[in-house]
Amino acid sequence: MSEKSFQPKVAQKSPFVLEEEAGKKRAWCSCGLSTNQPYCDGAHARETTGMSPMVVTCETSGKVPWCGCKHTKTPPYCDGSHNSLP
Ligand code: FES
């Protein structure tokens, strides 16, 4: 697989809405290959995608809509882009 041509895989066409805790660090899978969605499991490196996870610290406790389609314009959060995927 060529690194430049890698397109993120759609893990699911909807967000992963999960309860998170303020201060918790999360690594959001951006390549879509992780089997531990929406979090990174190292698959981006195993598959030489040239991608890397986005690491964020949750600012507040509560539900977080992690993008599951990997095509959001506001990573790592869902922005509704999954609705316009083919
Ligand atoms: S799940 Fe990706 S934009 Fe909604």
Side-chain angles (χ1 to χ4, degrees):
M1 191 178 322
S2 145
E3 294 198 0
K4 286 219 165 69
S5 66
F6 184 81
Q7 291 294 314
K9 183 180 164 239
V10 176
Q12 70 174 27
K13 270 194 195 170
S14 57
F16 293 92
V17 181
L18 298 176
E19 199 72 39
E20 300 288 2
E21 248 176 69
K24 243 214 164 111
K25 237 188 200 178
R26 292 299 197 188
W28 173 74
C29 163
S30 63
C31 72
L33 299 176
S34 170
T35 55
N36 185 33
Q37 293 294 332
Y39 312 122
C40 174
D41 75 349
H44 64 278
R46 286 194 298 279
E47 306 288 335
T48 59
T49 60
M51 300 188 75
S52 49
M54 178 174 276
V55 179
V56 294
T57 302
C58 299
E59 282 177 11
T60 53
S61 295
K63 285 194 171 25
V64 175
W66 303 105
C67 169
C69 75
K70 315 303 177 184
H71 286 75
T72 178
K73 307 270 186 310
T74 59
Y77 311 112
C78 173
D79 69 350
S81 293
H82 61 271
N83 288 314
S84 42
L85 290 175

